[in-house]
Amino acid sequence: MTKLSEALKALINASHAQPGYTRANAQVKPALEQFASNAREKKVGVPAWMTVSTAVSATLNCPEAMTTIYELANNTIGRSPAQNATLIREVGLKCISFNGIPRTINTLGAFVDSLPKAVASSLSSTPTREITTENVEERQQDGRKLWDSVYFGFEQKLLDKLAQSHPDLPVHILNGHYANLLSNPKSHDYKRGMGVKGMQDPVGRVLTSLTAIACLRAQTGVGPQVVSHVFGLRKAYEHWAAQANGEKPVEGGEWLATDDGSIWLLESVDRLVEAIAGGQGTTFAPGIRAKL
């Protein structure tokens, strides 16, 4: 096998290209503690604030912040370390649909490596999203149902508009993301994998919308998509998707879907971005920095 030259390896790993993940600075833990405290005051439950802060951390490529979220959640009575670690893993997985694959690979890998061995070994190792001839139609229906719920009133119009950009764009969004990732399987394996190992917080309709809003706000540059998913969160309650069969109540979710709640949510994301990025703005797509 050929090897990369030293010059090429040095260029790939040059500091101005920011090749590694974002390290947690001294501001990160206090900012997360304050966010959790504010959430309690607003009666926003642990699954909701964990979801939002995890999505921001994944977007900013900061697995150490995810570990801090895990540790803070472990101080909550009635929640197990495995339950908290599993929620973070599930949110991180769904971040693929908004941030792309690489950041989820890197942040989840580092996060799981940071866990105590007993906790890491207790997490489910059962895949739950395999597509088979038996479930492909059901999964496509799940994806379309979620899409229609998020974009209610504009669902077909938006698909038609996406197809004008590329005929396979709506096909991939629906089948690759809404069907097989953002919606949750109804299979026995999913229920087993999410239940036996301590997962009592499935990332359902409401938490998925919170994941989307947090990722997209933290990225910057995608205001139209932030608007869409803020409305998507509202529609979860206006059209009863949040109360559908299989959905668990999300404490504070209905308030977050209001004007006041959404303002608090977006401002909280901004503060977390400020802390994790050390005041340098988002790390999602800042461009190549000037060589010093």
Side-chain angles (χ1 to χ4, degrees), residues 47 88 214 247:
I88 290 171
E247 294 287 335

Side-chain angles (χ1 to χ4, degrees), residues 172-291:
H172 178 67
I173 290 173
L174 281 176
N175 295 329
H177 292 276
Y178 278 78
N180 200 35
L181 181 54
L182 296 178
S183 64
N184 293 328
K186 301 182 182 69
S187 68
H188 170 73
D189 282 344
Y190 180 77
K191 293 176 182 177
R192 183 178 65 181
M194 295 301 98
V196 172
K197 295 291 187 175
M199 176 62 166
Q200 288 124 27
D201 312 306
V203 183
R205 177 65 178 82
V206 172
L207 295 185
T208 296
S209 280
L210 293 179
T211 299
I213 293 167
C215 286
L216 296 169
R217 178 68 174 191
Q219 284 180 28
T220 73
V222 287
Q225 285 73 27
V226 175
V227 170
S228 292
H229 286 281
V230 167
F231 273 117
L233 177 61
R234 292 188 175 192
K235 291 171 185 177
Y237 289 97
E238 289 174 352
H239 302 289
W240 300 96
Q243 295 87 9
N245 185 38
E247 294 287 335
K248 288 205 170 186
V250 174
E251 184 183 359
E254 194 162 8
W255 177 72
L256 290 171
T258 67
D259 280 345
D260 288 344
S262 293
I263 289 171
W264 177 84
L265 172 59
L266 294 177
E267 289 179 343
S268 295
V269 170
D270 291 350
R271 285 190 287 269
L272 291 176
V273 170
E274 178 77 8
I276 294 173
Q280 298 300 307
T282 183
T283 67
F284 185 78
I288 299 293
R289 289 181 178 174
K291 295 181 181 180

Side-chain angles (χ1 to χ4, degrees), residues 7-233:
L8 178 54
K9 287 192 287 187
L11 182 58
I12 291 170
N13 293 296
S15 60
H16 70 272
Q18 305 175 74
Y21 64 78
T22 305
R23 303 304 299 262
N25 59 63
Q27 303 173 49
V28 171
K29 185 175 181 180
L32 288 168
E33 289 174 333
Q34 186 62 55
F35 177 50
S37 176
N38 290 345
R40 285 193 296 272
E41 292 175 3
K42 300 291 186 182
K43 293 182 170 48
V44 173
V46 176
W49 72 252
M50 282 186 69
T51 293
V52 171
S53 53
T54 295
V56 172
S57 302
T59 305
L60 299 184
N61 207 25
C62 189
E64 293 173 352
M66 297 163 88
T67 302
T68 300
I69 294 163
Y70 161 80
E71 292 168 347
L72 290 174
N74 287 345
N75 295 326
T76 303
I77 296 174
R79 296 186 63 88
S80 72
Q83 181 183 2
N84 294 327
T86 302
L87 177 57
I88 290 171
R89 281 206 316 178
E90 290 300 301
V91 172
L93 185 70
K94 290 198 175 189
C95 286
I96 288 173
S97 292
F98 310 105
N99 296 336
I101 295 171
R103 291 199 173 207
T104 285
I105 291 175
N106 295 341
T107 55
L108 282 190
F111 168 68
V112 173
D113 285 346
S114 77
L115 295 173
K117 289 184 178 180
V119 175
S121 64
S122 74
L123 302 179
S124 173
S125 58
T126 304
T128 62
R129 297 178 186 277
E130 292 280 4
I131 293 295
T132 67
T133 55
E134 288 78 19
N135 70 13
V136 62
E137 185 174 343
E138 179 182 56
R139 297 301 289 132
Q140 288 176 328
Q141 292 171 354
D142 291 341
R144 184 56 195 257
K145 181 179 179 181
L146 177 59
W147 174 272
D148 289 352
S149 172
V150 172
Y151 298 103
F152 183 84
F154 302 91
E155 58 270 36
Q156 189 57 52
K157 181 179 180 180
L158 181 53
L159 289 174
D160 293 341
K161 184 176 181 180
L162 292 171
Q164 292 174 7
S165 300
H166 192 295
D168 283 327
L169 184 55
V171 174
H172 178 67
I173 290 173
L174 281 176
N175 295 329
H177 292 276
Y178 278 78
N180 200 35
L181 181 54
L182 296 178
S183 64
N184 293 328
K186 301 182 182 69
S187 68
H188 170 73
D189 282 344
Y190 180 77
K191 293 176 182 177
R192 183 178 65 181
M194 295 301 98
V196 172
K197 295 291 187 175
M199 176 62 166
Q200 288 124 27
D201 312 306
V203 183
R205 177 65 178 82
V206 172
L207 295 185
T208 296
S209 280
L210 293 179
T211 299
I213 293 167
C215 286
L216 296 169
R217 178 68 174 191
Q219 284 180 28
T220 73
V222 287
Q225 285 73 27
V226 175
V227 170
S228 292
H229 286 281
V230 167
F231 273 117
L233 177 61

